[in-house]
Amino acid sequence: MKQSVKLVAGNWKMNGVAADLTEVAALRQALSDTPPACRVALCPPATLIERLARDAGALIETGGQDCRAEAKGAFTGGVSAAMLKDAGATLVIVGHSERRQEFGESDALVALKAEAAIEAGLEPIVCVGETLAQREAGEAVEVVRRQVMNSLPLAAAGRPFAIAYEPVWAIGTGLTPTLEQIEEVHRAVRSAMIERLGLAAATPPILYGGSVKPDNARDILAVPEVGGALVGGASLKAADFLAIIEAA
Ligand code: 13P
């Protein structure tokens, strides 16, 4: 079955203030000169979503990095999916390993967040990935399969969403799995998606994330079942991010 167009998304994490929007302006200009072959998104900190969405132009989509599962209420500091949408976001990352680790987010909570995102009209990017200990114990495929089955809400069937496979040990380390390892996990993710949601899950993109850089992006993005990239550090500078976009 034909896969959807690739999605290259930047996750700025807790980086970026208004002055960094110059990088977005540079990216916007470059993309309008040479339109990308893939979808492009940036997920800035919540404080910048509205300004980035306003400045980004039609070729750059804007996403949040997390949302609460609840629609509203007494959750000091929380941001709902509807608030992200209201600020101009069209996507949201949920279940990033930094949130799973730092905030103890479970698969069940991630599924609720993804469902809230879908209900608000956002496209969730649901993150999964094994730790180094799990990889070394030969459990990577099994762990990721379980995360997909339990983090993907049934409400995602037929709605726009993406999965991001981000091995925890590859994030911010400069290490990446081999291309064969990436293919093996992505194939397992696809079959778990289909097992969970049926054939509606045959086309949503499966992004790879973890130390994607201009010099490895072309090889990674050519791996079967790699439907894009979720890029951390290399998305902060327009030139690096653009080189990854051009490799897609
Ligand atoms: P790096 O690209 O900095 O390794 O980060 C990956 C990531 O966590 C994106 O969500």
Side-chain angles (χ1 to χ4, degrees):
M1 194 172 296
K2 193 178 172 331
Q3 284 191 27
S4 46
V5 60
K6 285 188 167 65
L7 168 61
V8 174
N11 175 8
W12 278 12
K13 308 191 180 184
M14 200 173 75
N15 299 288
V17 291
D20 298 298
L21 293 172
T22 54
E23 296 298 327
V24 180
L27 185 65
R28 175 183 175 158
Q29 184 60 50
L31 294 178
S32 74
D33 292 346
T34 313
C38 59
R39 292 171 60 202
V40 175
L42 281 174
C43 302
T47 47
L48 283 182
I49 287 175
E50 187 162 358
R51 278 173 285 180
L52 196 150
R54 202 182 300 132
D55 291 359
L59 295 173
I60 304 173
E61 301 171 49
T62 306
Q65 298 176 8
D66 176 49
C67 64
R68 291 281 311 189
E70 301 83 357
K72 59 173 142 177
F75 303 104
T76 302
V79 176
S80 73
M83 290 169 185
L84 295 175
K85 171 103 175 163
D86 186 54
T90 54
L91 308 104
V92 61
I93 297 167
V94 293
H96 193 280
S97 62
E98 286 153 15
R99 295 205 59 91
R100 290 177 183 265
Q101 290 190 326
E102 300 258 332
F103 303 96
E105 294 192 5
S106 64
D107 288 336
L109 179 62
V110 173
L112 288 174
K113 290 183 173 204
E115 189 167 347
I118 288 165
E119 274 168 16
L122 296 176
E123 176 176 348
I125 300 174
V126 180
C127 300
V128 296
E130 82 285 359
T131 63
L132 185 58
Q134 289 166 333
R135 165 65 62 183
E136 286 175 342
E139 296 167 355
V141 165
E142 183 193 324
V143 165
V144 168
R145 235 189 94 71
R146 193 169 59 233
Q147 288 175 329
V148 171
M149 295 296 285
N150 296 328
S151 305
L152 202 51
L154 292 175
R159 308 290 291 275
F161 76 94
I163 298 277
Y165 166 54
E166 300 203 300
V168 176
W169 52 272
I171 294 175
T173 57
L175 303 172
T176 54
T178 65
L179 300 178
E180 291 72 25
Q181 287 170 329
I182 292 174
E183 180 172 353
E184 179 189 31
V185 177
H186 278 238
R187 286 194 188 283
V189 168
R190 179 67 70 197
S191 77
M193 289 163 69
I194 291 173
E195 194 175 322
R196 176 87 172 127
L197 300 179
L199 281 180
T203 51
I206 306 169
L207 317 184
Y208 169 79
S211 296
V212 177
K213 305 290 176 200
D215 63 1
N216 62 18
R218 194 167 298 279
D219 287 344
I220 291 173
L221 286 160
V223 170
E225 283 292 7
V226 172
L230 186 54
V231 183
S235 71
L236 295 170
K237 291 279 166 238
D240 288 346
F241 195 45
L242 196 59
I244 294 170
I245 291 164
E246 284 167 353

